[in-house]
Structure formats: C-alpha cells, structure tokens
Amino acid sequence: MNEQIMQVSQRIKELREILDVDVAQLAEQVNVPVEEYLKYENGQVDIPVGVIYGVAGVLNVDPTVLLTGEAPRMSDYTIVRQGQGVSVERYKGYKFTSLAFNYIDRTLEPMIVDLDPDEKGAELVVHSGQEFNYVLEGKIAVVIGAKRFELEAGDSIFFNPTTPHGQRAIGGHARFLTIINE
C-alpha cells in the first residue's frame, strides 16, 4: 500500500482511539460497512476521498489534519503557489492536490485531480454536498449512477455526489479541477 495512504490510515485510527469513538459507530456515520472501514483504517485498501472527508466530519477535524498531520492556519485567505498544494496519490494513476488545505473552516474543497488512463471503469464513490468538475487537460469519462459522460478540456459538470460517481481518463493523461461543497 502507498506510504501516504498508510500515514492517513494511521492518523485516522489514532485520532479515533484518542477520541474514544467506537469503530462500528464511526463506520455507520460514514455509511461504510464495518469490515470495509477496518480495511481502510488498517491500510489494507485505499480510502476514498469521500470517506476521508466523512471521517474528518465525524471526528470534528479538518480533513487536512488527516491528510497531512497538520492543522490549517489561515482564516482570511490562503495562497497556494503552483506545485505547492498538498498532493495525495490515492492509487497508481490517480492523484489529487488540495488547493485550500491551509484555510480554516472551509466549506469548499477545490482540488486538481490527475488521472492516467485505466482500462477498468471509474471507481464509484459517494459523499455529501455538491460537486463541480472542470476539465483542464485531456478527456475524462464521468459516471454518475447509470449514466456516462465524456468531457474534454473546457467542459464541466455539476452534480449531486450522493449518487455513486467516478471519473477516469480516456486515451491519455487527463487533469481536472474539482470543487466539492460539503
């Protein structure tokens, strides 16, 4: 398993134990079966970003704490220079970079997502809020429930992420901006 994902898993487990939150209770609150949640917490499988944000909400911490081990510090504004966002490689071929990680109490999560082509279908996830994707480079397939859309650079989509959804690159590397409102 990716070193970065192992660190996130360890932070989640440690914080859950410090706060004395029961595994079954936390799994239920993030809408994940206990067996699956334990695999996330033990670093056996990749943790979907929606689960990371859900766990952060339940544990009452900013997701940045789980992703980096540090708390956000800015409350009026934050600037992220090119190449300086907090990057997490969820798995080979899928990396996201947080662009507002240092802003306290943010209600939006802007991220750049880099995708390499993958023969498998998009991994479907669910989370609360609303989601916006804007394709910066390449071409992506976006699956929302039973529907599949192909988007190219300059195209965008806004949707309800409580419906299972996922994205994958088509024909080469792709990059898109995603903004999630929790």
Side-chain angles (χ1 to χ4, degrees):
M1 180 60 54
N2 177 307
E3 175 75 23
Q4 210 169 21
I5 296 300
M6 281 301 298
Q7 290 173 358
V8 171
S9 296
Q10 290 168 351
R11 285 187 200 107
I12 290 172
K13 183 175 183 176
E14 182 177 348
L15 186 57
R16 180 189 58 73
E17 289 174 347
I18 288 169
L19 296 174
D20 198 28
V21 175
D22 179 68
V23 169
Q25 176 189 4
L26 182 54
E28 181 181 338
Q29 288 184 291
V30 297
N31 202 28
V32 172
V34 173
E35 303 77 30
E36 185 176 339
Y37 174 81
L38 285 171
K39 288 179 183 177
Y40 297 149
E41 194 174 273
N42 292 320
Q44 295 172 302
V45 295
D46 178 43
I47 308 169
V49 70
V51 172
I52 292 172
Y53 282 80
V55 168
V58 172
L59 299 179
N60 200 29
V61 298
D62 190 282
T64 301
V65 172
L66 300 179
L67 293 171
T68 69
E70 296 186 23
R73 296 179 179 87
M74 304 302 290
S75 60
D76 288 334
Y77 64 89
T78 187
I79 296 173
V80 176
R81 301 283 182 200
Q82 183 175 347
Q84 299 300 307
V86 171
S87 293
V88 174
E89 184 175 8
R90 287 192 48 214
Y91 51 83
K92 187 169 176 50
Y94 183 108
K95 178 178 84 170
F96 70 86
T97 303
S98 176
L99 301 176
F101 64 93
N102 206 24
Y103 192 85
I104 299 169
D105 296 330
R106 65 190 173 278
T107 57
L108 298 174
E109 188 63 51
M111 297 179 279
I112 299 291
V113 179
D114 284 284
L115 297 172
D116 290 330
D118 188 352
E119 296 302 315
K120 299 182 293 185
E123 177 187 337
L124 302 183
V125 298
V126 297
H127 55 84
S128 62
Q130 298 174 329
E131 184 166 337
F132 173 76
N133 297 169
Y134 178 83
V135 182
L136 300 167
E137 301 171 14
K139 189 174 184 179
I140 65 171
V142 179
V143 174
I144 301 173
K147 297 187 180 195
R148 182 180 183 276
F149 307 95
E150 290 189 6
L151 305 177
E152 298 179 359
D155 293 343
S156 65
I157 189 167
F158 188 94
F159 59 94
N160 177 348
T162 62
T163 301
H165 65 281
Q167 303 88 353
R168 72 175 181 90
I170 300 173
H173 178 82
R175 171 178 268 202
F176 66 96
L177 169 70
T178 187
I179 300 173
I180 300 172
N181 170 278
E182 289 293 325

